[in-house]
Amino acid sequence: MADTQHVLDAPPEPRVGIYDEDGYLAEDFLDRVKEAIAAEDAAFLRETIGPLHESELGDVLRNLGHDERQALVRLMGEEFDYTALTEVDEAIRLSIVDAMPNEQVAEALRELDSDDAVYILEDMEEEDRKEILAKLPFRERLRLRRSLEYPEESAGRRMQTEFVAVPPYWTVGQTIDYMRDEEDLPESFAQIFVVDPTFKLLGAVDLDRILRTRRPAKIEEIMHETRHAIPAETDQEEAAQIIEQYDLLSAAVVDETERLVGVLTIDDVIDIVQQEAEEDIRRMGGVGDEEISDTVVTAARSRFLWLLVNLATAILASLVIGLFDASIQQMVALAVLMPIVASMGGNAGTQTMTVTVRALASRDLDIYNAGRIVRREVMIGLLNGALFAIVIGIVAAVWFSSVSLGEVIAIAMIFNMLAAALAGILIPLVLDHFGADPAIASGTFVTTVTDVVGFFAFLGLASWWFSI
Amino acid sequence: MADTQHVLDAPPEPRVGIYDEDGYLAEDFLDRVKEAIAAEDAAFLRETIGPLHESELGDVLRNLGHDERQALVRLMGEEFDYTALTEVDEAIRLSIVDAMPNEQVAEALRELDSDDAVYILEDMEEEDRKEILAKLPFRERLRLRRSLEYPEESAGRRMQTEFVAVPPYWTVGQTIDYMRDEEDLPESFAQIFVVDPTFKLLGAVDLDRILRTRRPAKIEEIMHETRHAIPAETDQEEAAQIIEQYDLLSAAVVDETERLVGVLTIDDVIDIVQQEAEEDIRRMGGVGDEEISDTVVTAARSRFLWLLVNLATAILASLVIGLFDASIQQMVALAVLMPIVASMGGNAGTQTMTVTVRALASRDLDIYNAGRIVRREVMIGLLNGALFAIVIGIVAAVWFSSVSLGEVIAIAMIFNMLAAALAGILIPLVLDHFGADPAIASGTFVTTVTDVVGFFAFLGLASWWFSI
C-alpha cells in the first residue's frame, strides 16, 4: 500500500530514536507516547508522532491498547496520517475506523491515495461504506466505487487510480512543461502512460527515458508498447507475478475495453508477494487466515476445522492398530515401537511435501519434469529409508534382545519411507491438478498415509513374522 | 536480479505463444526448441530465443536437459542473454558456466550489470573466479572485486554499482542536459544521487521531482536527505526491510566512510523477500537449503540430519510408552487409542507454532505483547481441548464400551492441548530470544513435547485410574 518514496515529506528525526537495535519499537519511546496519551498531551503527540512515516505510526498503533489507539487518533486530529491504517491488520484497522463518525472517515479518506482508501473501505460494513462514499465529492466517489466493484484481491482493487497520461503526439518538451505546470499530479510516479482520446492505452514511457531524450522528440517515438497491461479483473497474485517476472516498476491496469483505469506499483507487489507466501505457510501449518490480533473464539474456530479433520485421520490410524490388538497383547514391544515408524514417515513425508508445494508455487515443477522429480523423491526415500532401517533395526534388536524384531521394524521403515516419498509428492500434485491449493490440507493427507502405512506395515509384518 | 524495467528492448513477440493458459511453458513451443537444438538449427534458435525476456529464457533453460542447455548456449553464441543465468537455480547455473571456457565467461560478464555478474561469480570455484576477473578490464574488475569482498547475502553483494550521481550545485537544467549527452548511463534508474567531490553521499532526488521542477532550480534545493542509506555490510534481509518499510524505489549503499558505492533496487528486494519467506517455509518443513535440481545424494544428506533428530525424539516417546508396558498388556485399548492424543497435540502445537513464527518474523510479536499472546494461545488450547475432549471421550467410551476409558482420554486430551499451546509459543520465543531462527527446529521440538506429554498423560492417567 502507500506511495512509493515520498521520502521528500519525511521527518527530520533520525530513525534511531524510535527503534531499538533489534528493530523493535524502543521501549522508552513507547512509554513516553503512552504517558502523553494518558495526560491528553496533544501538543507533544502532534510534535512526536506527526512526522513519523506511516509504517512507523503503524508500529506504534500495533503496540498500543485499544483505548489508547482511539485516544491517539482523537488527540492528533488532522495531524493523524490515516495511511498508517494500511500498515496494521484488519482487527486493529476496524477498531479505529468503527469508533470514528462516518463524517470524519470520509474526511480522512479524501487525503489518501485511492488504493489506500479502498484498502480501508473494503473491510467496512456495507452500510457504513455507502454512507461514507455518499459524503465524498463526485469524482472521488466514482473512482473508489469503480475499484470496489472489482473482485476482492484483484488488480482493480489494489490499483491506484491516480496516474499521468499524455497523448502520443506530444513532444518530450511539451510533456516536461506539462509536468512543471500541472498542480494535480500523483504524489510520486515512475512512468507516464500514453493514451488516445478515449483513454485507450497505447504505451508507456519510463521517466529516465524522458530525461535522456531531447525536447523535440515525440512521445510516440520513445514510448514502448505495454505488452504487460493487466486486465482489472486479474487476480492480484497473477498480476504480481507479471510485474515481478518482467521487473517492472509499475504496470498499467486496463478495463475490458482496454482503457487505462489505474496503475499497480511495485510496492503493492511486495505486499502481495509477502501475503501469498504467508498464506502458503499458514495453510501448511493448518491455520487459515488467522491474524494474531483475532479474538480467542475466532482463532479457535478457524483452527477447529483442521483439528477435526486430523481427529478423523487419527481415528483411522487407530482402527489400523485395532486390527492387530491380539498381536500387541502377546508382544507389548510392538506398542512401544510402533510410533517410531509412523513418526519417521510423517517427517519424511512433510519434507517431500514442503519441497513439492514450493516447487509448484515457483513453477519449478510442471508436467515436463514431474516424472523425473517423482523418481528423485523415491530414490531419496529409499536411500534415507535404508539408512534409518539399519539404525532403528539395531536399536530395536538390542533394546528388546530380538534380532527378528529388529528385522521387522527395519523392513517396515523402508516401506513407510517409500510411502512417505510417494504421498509427499503425489498428493500435492493431484490437488494442484484438480485446481485445489496444494498447500492446504496436503499436510493432513500426507501424515494420514504415513500413519496408516506405518502402523499397518510394522504390525502386519510382525504378526506374520512371529505368526501371532 | 536484473534491471528494473528494460522493457524498451523487449521482444515484439506476444507473451501468449511461450506460455499456456496456466502460465507454464507451452508444450509445443518447448518441443520446437528441442527439435531445433537437436538439428543444430542456430538461425531458428537465435530468431526464437534471442528476443525473449531473461525470465522467459530462464524458464526455457529450466525445462531443458543438461546437454540441451549447453548446446543452446553454444548455438546462440553472442545472442545468448547471460542475465538469464540469474533466473535459474545454482545447480543449473553452474552446469552452464562450468562448461564454458573462462575466456567466454569473462566476455559474457562484461555485458551484464554488476549485480548480475556478482550473482554468477559468487557461486564459482575460487580459482575460476580469479582467472575470470583477471581477464576483465581494470575498472570492471575493481567494481566486481569490491562487491565480492562484502559478506555473502549482504547489501554490498546484491547492490548494482552503476548509478547516476551529480554535485549539489548543479541546476535541474544542467542535470537534464547531462543525462541527454552522457552515453554511459545505467540501463535504467529511478533516482539520482547527490555527492560531494569525495563521493560522500549528500542526498537523492527522485526522477519525477526533477521533471516537475523548472530548469534554474539547484539540485540541492530539491534533493532530500537520504535517511535510509544502507551500509554495505548490512544483511540483505535487513536492507530489504528498510526499503520495504519506507516504500523506496531504490536505496543508496554506502561504505564505512559514508561514500556512495552502489544502489539496491526494489526488484532485488522482491527477490530477497521471496527468498526469506522460502527459507522460513523450508526450515519449518525440515528441508534446509535444498533446491529441486539438487542431486539425490545432496538432497538425501540435507534431510538426513532432521530425520535423525526426529528419530531421537521418537525413541524418547517410545521410552515413555515403555514405562507403561504392563498396563498396555492388560488393556490393549490403550495402545489403540494412544496415537490419537499425541497426534491431536502435534497438530495443535504446529498451528500455534506457525502463528508464532510468522508473528515473530513480521514483528507483530514482541516483548510488549508476549504475555497477552501466551494467554491467548492457552485460552485457544483450553477451548479446543475441551471440545475435542468431549468428542474423543464419547468415541472411546462407545468404541470400547467403557465410560471410564472415555473419561481418561478426555482428560489426557485437555492436558496435551494445553501442553501443545505452551510448547507452540514458548519454544519459538525462547529460540528467538537466544538469537536462533525460531523457524528452524521448532517443529521437531514442539512435536517432541506433544508426543511425550500425550503418551505420558494418557497412559499415566489410565494406569492410575484403572490401578494397573
Side-chain angles (χ1 to χ4, degrees):
Chain A
M1 298 308 102
D3 294 318
T4 320
Q5 216 170 0
H6 53 164
V7 184
L8 252 163
D9 320 300
E13 312 247 313
R15 194 171 160 266
V16 182
I18 308 171
Y19 294 102
D20 63 21
E21 64 262 28
D22 294 332
Y24 289 110
L25 217 55
E27 201 162 350
D28 53 345
F29 173 77
L30 192 64
D31 286 344
R32 261 184 295 150
V33 170
K34 287 184 170 199
E35 278 163 30
I37 292 174
E40 306 243 319
D41 186 349
F44 174 84
L45 290 171
R46 283 183 195 162
E47 194 185 314
T48 317
I49 304 285
L52 292 188
H53 184 267
E54 61 214 38
S55 65
E56 296 168 335
L57 178 51
D59 284 339
V60 172
L61 289 175
R62 212 171 292 138
N63 284 289
L64 291 178
H66 181 259
D67 296 338
E68 287 171 329
R69 275 180 215 134
Q70 294 181 357
L72 178 67
V73 175
R74 181 172 48 77
L75 289 166
M76 290 194 60
E78 288 189 1
E79 296 282 309
F80 187 83
D81 178 3
Y82 287 92
T83 317
L85 295 185
T86 63
E87 304 274 341
V88 295
D89 66 31
E90 189 182 330
I92 296 178
R93 184 159 54 247
L94 287 181
S95 81
I96 292 175
V97 176
D98 287 348
M100 288 163 58
N102 284 341
E103 194 89 18
Q104 196 188 337
V105 178
E107 201 61 47
L109 292 186
R110 291 192 58 180
E111 303 297 316
L112 299 186
D113 284 332
S114 67
D115 54 341
D116 294 334
V118 167
Y119 199 80
I120 293 172
L121 280 170
E122 66 181 0
D123 291 334
M124 299 186 72
E125 301 283 340
E126 179 66 27
E127 206 176 316
D128 285 332
R129 188 161 62 216
K130 272 196 185 146
E131 209 182 304
I132 290 165
L133 281 171
K135 289 186 199 307
L136 289 172
F138 176 73
R139 241 182 95 199
E140 284 172 50
R141 182 166 66 228
L142 208 69
R143 283 177 166 188
L144 294 180
R145 226 178 238 156
R146 187 165 57 184
S147 283
L148 285 164
E149 271 166 14
Y150 290 113
E152 260 188 79
E153 307 210 332
S154 69
R157 274 284 176 100
R158 292 282 79 84
M159 72 188 179
Q160 196 175 319
T161 52
E162 297 90 0
F163 50 78
V164 181
V166 301
Y169 52 80
W170 276 19
T171 62
V172 166
Q174 263 179 300
T175 307
I176 294 182
D177 292 341
Y178 162 74
M179 286 192 273
R180 285 185 183 147
D181 291 334
E182 175 66 42
E183 297 279 312
D184 195 23
L185 291 179
E187 234 183 83
S188 72
F189 52 98
Q191 67 179 180
I192 63 173
F193 296 102
V194 188
V195 292
D196 76 4
T198 67
F199 254 73
K200 219 183 128 203
L201 182 68
L202 301 174
V205 194
D206 300 340
L207 296 191
D208 65 317
R209 184 62 37 186
I210 293 178
L211 283 168
R212 289 169 206 231
T213 311
R214 290 177 196 282
R215 289 182 63 92
K218 284 236 164 80
I219 289 292
E220 61 194 340
E221 294 161 23
I222 60 167
M223 78 177 190
H224 54 86
E225 270 185 75
T226 44
R227 297 193 307 127
H228 309 298
I230 295 169
E233 295 80 15
T234 313
D235 183 77
Q236 62 172 13
E237 185 172 10
E238 211 180 302
Q241 265 167 1
I242 293 171
I243 293 184
E244 200 202 327
Q245 167 164 23
Y246 296 101
D247 299 311
L248 310 174
L249 284 178
S250 58
V253 180
V254 293
D255 67 11
E256 60 281 6
T257 61
E258 281 179 46
R259 282 187 304 181
L260 182 64
V261 289
V263 54
L264 202 64
T265 54
I266 196 168
D267 55 319
D268 297 327
V269 171
I270 294 195
D271 292 334
I272 294 168
V273 164
Q274 273 195 319
Q275 200 178 323
E276 300 291 341
E278 190 77 26
E279 261 179 42
D280 267 11
I281 296 179
R282 283 160 185 279
R283 284 177 182 175
M284 289 206 272
V287 281
D289 293 333
E290 184 186 326
E291 291 181 30
I292 199 140
S293 55
D294 282 349
T295 63
V296 168
V297 175
T298 312
R301 196 166 41 201
S302 89
R303 293 186 200 176
F304 180 84
L305 186 71
W306 282 115
L307 290 174
L308 193 65
V309 174
N310 183 62
L311 181 65
T313 69
I315 290 177
L316 187 65
S318 287
L319 288 171
V320 172
I321 300 172
L323 295 176
F324 302 98
D325 55 354
S327 312
I328 292 173
Q329 200 146 22
Q330 280 195 43
M331 193 173 187
V332 80
L334 299 181
V336 174
L337 290 174
M338 67 184 189
I340 295 181
V341 180
S343 159
M344 290 299 283
N347 264 264
T350 304
Q351 289 179 331
T352 302
M353 184 199 73
T354 304
V355 174
T356 307
V357 167
R358 292 313 295 171
L360 282 169
S362 63
R363 306 207 165 149
D364 284 339
L365 176 59
D366 51 38
I367 42 167
Y368 306 112
N369 60 7
R372 190 172 64 77
I373 303 288
V374 170
R375 277 195 301 280
R376 173 179 178 272
E377 288 299 327
V378 168
M379 291 299 296
I380 296 173
L382 284 176
L383 192 58
N384 273 337
L387 290 170
F388 284 105
I390 296 170
V391 176
I392 194 62
I394 294 172
V395 170
V398 173
W399 187 352
F400 294 97
S401 315
S402 161
V403 174
S404 309
L405 193 59
E407 287 166 352
V408 166
I409 198 169
I411 296 172
M413 179 71 85
I414 294 177
F415 259 112
N416 206 25
M417 294 290 265
L418 187 59
L422 288 172
I425 188 158
L426 293 180
I427 290 174
L429 272 179
V430 168
L431 284 173
D432 187 58
H433 182 76
F434 287 107
D437 181 343
I440 209 157
S442 284
T444 306
F445 293 145
V446 171
T447 49
T448 303
V449 170
T450 54
D451 275 356
V452 167
V453 172
F455 290 134
F456 194 85
F458 178 57
L459 296 175
L461 263 172
S463 304
W464 173 74
W465 198 288
F466 300 110
S467 322
I468 46 181
Chain B
M1 300 303 103
D3 296 317
T4 319
Q5 215 170 5
H6 54 164
V7 184
L8 252 163
D9 319 300
E13 311 248 313
R15 194 169 161 267
V16 183
I18 308 170
Y19 295 101
D20 64 19
E21 65 261 26
D22 292 332
Y24 289 111
L25 218 55
E27 202 162 350
D28 55 343
F29 173 77
L30 191 65
D31 286 345
R32 263 183 295 151
V33 170
K34 287 184 170 200
E35 279 165 28
I37 292 174
E40 305 243 318
D41 185 350
F44 174 85
L45 289 172
R46 282 182 197 164
E47 194 185 314
T48 317
I49 304 286
L52 292 187
H53 184 265
E54 62 216 36
S55 66
E56 295 168 336
L57 178 51
D59 284 338
V60 172
L61 290 175
R62 212 170 292 137
N63 284 290
L64 292 178
H66 183 258
D67 296 337
E68 287 171 327
R69 275 180 215 136
Q70 294 180 358
L72 179 67
V73 175
R74 181 173 47 78
L75 289 166
M76 290 193 60
E78 288 191 1
E79 296 282 311
F80 186 83
D81 178 3
Y82 288 91
T83 317
L85 295 185
T86 63
E87 304 274 342
V88 295
D89 65 33
E90 189 182 330
I92 296 178
R93 183 161 54 248
L94 287 181
S95 83
I96 292 175
V97 176
D98 288 347
M100 288 163 59
N102 283 341
E103 197 87 21
Q104 196 188 336
V105 177
E107 201 61 47
L109 291 186
R110 290 191 59 180
E111 302 296 315
L112 299 186
D113 283 331
S114 67
D115 54 340
D116 294 333
V118 166
Y119 199 80
I120 292 172
L121 281 170
E122 66 180 1
D123 292 334
M124 300 186 73
E125 300 283 339
E126 179 67 27
E127 207 176 315
D128 286 331
R129 187 162 61 216
K130 271 195 186 147
E131 211 181 301
I132 291 166
L133 281 171
K135 288 187 200 303
L136 288 172
F138 177 73
R139 240 182 95 199
E140 284 172 47
R141 182 166 66 229
L142 208 70
R143 281 177 168 191
L144 293 179
R145 224 179 241 159
R146 186 165 58 183
S147 282
L148 285 164
E149 271 165 15
Y150 290 112
E152 261 188 77
E153 308 212 329
S154 69
R157 275 284 177 97
R158 291 283 80 84
M159 73 186 178
Q160 195 175 318
T161 53
E162 298 91 358
F163 50 78
V164 181
V166 300
Y169 50 82
W170 276 20
T171 63
V172 165
Q174 262 178 302
T175 307
I176 293 181
D177 292 342
Y178 162 75
M179 286 192 273
R180 285 186 183 146
D181 291 333
E182 175 66 42
E183 297 277 312
D184 194 24
L185 290 179
E187 233 183 83
S188 72
F189 51 97
Q191 68 179 179
I192 63 173
F193 296 102
V194 187
V195 293
D196 76 5
T198 67
F199 254 72
K200 221 183 124 199
L201 182 66
L202 301 174
V205 194
D206 301 340
L207 295 192
D208 66 317
R209 183 62 39 184
I210 293 178
L211 282 168
R212 288 171 209 230
T213 311
R214 291 175 196 282
R215 288 180 65 91
K218 285 236 163 80
I219 290 291
E220 60 193 342
E221 294 162 20
I222 61 166
M223 78 178 191
H224 55 87
E225 270 185 75
T226 46
R227 295 193 308 129
H228 309 297
I230 295 169
E233 296 81 16
T234 312
D235 182 78
Q236 62 173 11
E237 185 174 8
E238 212 180 303
Q241 264 167 3
I242 293 171
I243 293 183
E244 198 204 329
Q245 169 164 22
Y246 295 101
D247 299 311
L248 309 174
L249 284 178
S250 59
V253 180
V254 293
D255 68 10
E256 60 281 6
T257 61
E258 282 178 44
R259 282 188 305 181
L260 183 63
V261 290
V263 54
L264 202 64
T265 54
I266 196 166
D267 54 320
D268 298 326
V269 171
I270 293 195
D271 293 334
I272 296 168
V273 164
Q274 270 195 320
Q275 202 177 321
E276 300 290 340
E278 191 77 26
E279 261 178 42
D280 266 11
I281 295 179
R282 284 162 184 280
R283 284 177 182 175
M284 288 207 272
V287 281
D289 293 333
E290 184 186 327
E291 290 180 30
I292 201 141
S293 55
D294 282 349
T295 64
V296 169
V297 175
T298 312
R301 196 166 42 202
S302 90
R303 295 186 199 176
F304 179 84
L305 186 71
W306 281 116
L307 291 174
L308 193 64
V309 173
N310 183 62
L311 181 65
T313 68
I315 290 177
L316 187 65
S318 287
L319 288 171
V320 173
I321 300 172
L323 296 175
F324 302 99
D325 54 354
S327 311
I328 291 173
Q329 201 147 21
Q330 282 197 40
M331 193 172 186
V332 81
L334 298 182
V336 175
L337 290 173
M338 69 185 185
I340 296 180
V341 180
S343 159
M344 291 298 285
N347 264 264
T350 303
Q351 289 179 330
T352 302
M353 186 198 72
T354 304
V355 172
T356 307
V357 166
R358 293 312 296 172
L360 282 168
S362 62
R363 305 203 168 153
D364 284 339
L365 175 59
D366 53 36
I367 42 166
Y368 305 113
N369 59 8
R372 191 172 63 79
I373 304 289
V374 171
R375 276 195 303 279
R376 172 177 178 273
E377 289 299 327
V378 167
M379 291 300 297
I380 296 173
L382 285 176
L383 192 57
N384 273 336
L387 289 171
F388 284 106
I390 296 170
V391 177
I392 193 61
I394 293 171
V395 169
V398 173
W399 188 353
F400 293 97
S401 315
S402 161
V403 174
S404 308
L405 192 59
E407 286 166 353
V408 166
I409 198 170
I411 295 172
M413 181 70 87
I414 294 177
F415 259 111
N416 206 24
M417 293 289 266
L418 187 59
L422 287 172
I425 188 159
L426 294 179
I427 290 174
L429 273 179
V430 168
L431 284 172
D432 186 60
H433 182 76
F434 287 107
D437 182 342
I440 210 158
S442 285
T444 307
F445 292 145
V446 171
T447 49
T448 304
V449 171
T450 55
D451 276 357
V452 167
V453 172
F455 291 134
F456 194 86
F458 178 56
L459 297 174
L461 263 173
S463 304
W464 173 75
W465 199 287
F466 300 110
S467 321
I468 42 181

